[in-house]
Amino acid sequence: MTSTSSATSLSRPIAALSIAGSDSGGGAGVQADLRTFAAHGLLGCTAITAITAQNTVGVQRADALDPSLVVAQIDSVLADLPVRAAKTGMLANVAIVQAVVAALARHPRLPVVVDPVCVSKHGHPLLTDDALVALRSELLPRATVITPNLPEAAALLGVAAIDDPAEAADALAALVTGAGPPPTVVLKGGHRENTPVSCDLVRLPDGRRVWLDAARITTRCDHGTGCTLSAAIAAHLALGHPIEEAIRRSKRYLTGALRHARPVGKGHSPVDHLWQLQRADDE
């Protein structure tokens, strides 16, 4: 059974919430999240943190919203709609990070996937240094799953580069101290060059490690991959799948989105979030 049919067979609608920036080019941010939620049969809700002017070539401008407006969006959505999971993306600055943490604290049972977005695909910074500190110390303890790529993991750990993914995943889990279990860490290996496979490491709260391999797809249609994976994980958690299964399904979904994407624009094109629907039409 596909993710979409699982959602539509349920007795009432399910929603997921994206707390992230807007990508005017449609490839990443809340736009990617909404398309991913829709591909899994969910109602996509948003709390927009920033407005960016960007396209496939780069980010030309990024303006953060007032933190109180971000919180108002979160509170409005969660007060009314059947949100079963949330994800965070671009949070821009320390005031927004702390406001989001405070808003989510009012919903302690809501699963949260944290995509620690620091830099855009084109190298544009999307998170201030003090916001990174707040994300590490205040938001990660609230996370159910975190999905850093290798550069983001290095930034969170305060190191120049990741040499040993297993050691890094353990260190990321150890950043979270407290009464509860650490988050599941999905350390994405897509930035590791000159390898025939894209290998992600999943470090579960009990310390068990799972390696997820997929053939590396050579394409320039790779804009929004991190947003898409984290949104897919949130979608599967909203649908009630266990964490490891949610991550496996999301990896397969992203691989298909990369494989079926077609170039648009002059730079990094978006993945094809709706590839499963197109394939169903072809059949």
Side-chain angles (χ1 to χ4, degrees):
M1 181 179 289
T2 66
S3 302
T4 302
S5 60
S6 296
T8 55
S9 67
L10 297 173
S11 59
R12 66 192 187 101
I14 290 177
L17 170 63
S18 168
I19 306 170
S22 170
D23 173 0
S24 59
V30 295
Q31 285 82 355
D33 296 345
L34 288 174
R35 288 166 66 85
T36 300
F37 294 157
H40 290 81
L42 303 183
L43 170 66
C45 305
T46 63
I48 296 175
T49 60
I51 306 295
T52 70
Q54 65 175 292
N55 50 33
T56 66
V57 176
V59 178
Q60 293 80 44
R61 179 172 172 177
D63 288 1
L65 297 187
D66 188 288
S68 65
L69 179 55
V70 177
V71 171
Q73 293 174 82
I74 296 172
D75 289 345
S76 178
V77 169
L78 294 182
D80 178 51
L81 295 166
V83 174
R84 297 293 176 263
K87 64 146 289 187
T88 66
M90 176 186 177
L91 297 179
N93 59 46
V94 65
I96 290 177
V97 172
Q98 293 174 335
V100 168
V101 171
L104 292 176
R106 294 190 283 274
H107 305 274
R109 296 185 179 180
L110 183 70
V112 177
V113 180
V114 173
D115 185 15
V117 177
C118 300
V119 179
S120 76
K121 177 71 69 177
H122 315 92
H124 187 95
L126 299 176
L127 191 70
T128 60
D129 291 343
D130 56 349
L132 178 64
V133 173
L135 188 150
R136 180 168 55 221
S137 62
E138 300 180 44
L139 184 57
L140 290 193
R142 177 61 183 85
T144 308
V145 181
I146 63 173
T147 62
N149 58 33
L150 294 174
E152 290 163 348
L156 287 169
L157 294 173
V159 299
I162 300 300
D163 297 320
D164 184 337
E167 183 179 288
D170 288 343
L172 287 166
L175 288 175
V176 178
T177 58
T184 295
V185 177
V186 182
L187 185 55
K188 299 175 291 190
H191 284 73
R192 193 174 294 278
E193 299 178 350
N194 302 319
T195 60
V197 296
S198 172
C199 187
D200 300 338
L201 172 60
V202 179
R203 198 267 191 196
L204 296 161
D206 62 4
R208 185 164 56 93
R209 301 186 187 115
V210 179
W211 292 91
L212 300 182
D213 296 342
R216 183 176 293 278
I217 299 169
T218 301
T219 177
R220 69 179 180 91
C221 302
D222 57 358
H223 185 41
T225 51
C227 303
T228 300
L229 180 67
S230 58
I233 294 171
H236 283 292
L237 292 178
L239 290 168
H241 294 130
I243 288 178
E244 184 177 343
E245 180 65 17
I247 295 167
R248 290 183 181 276
R249 288 173 179 251
S250 299
K251 173 80 170 178
R252 291 195 294 268
Y253 166 75
L254 176 59
T255 299
L258 283 162
R259 179 176 292 118
H260 291 275
R262 297 292 179 266
V264 61
K266 301 173 183 177
H268 290 278
S269 300
V271 302
D272 185 355
H273 299 96
L274 304 181
W275 67 273
Q276 292 167 309
L277 299 180
Q278 181 62 49
R279 192 173 68 172
D281 290 342
D282 292 343
E283 294 173 353

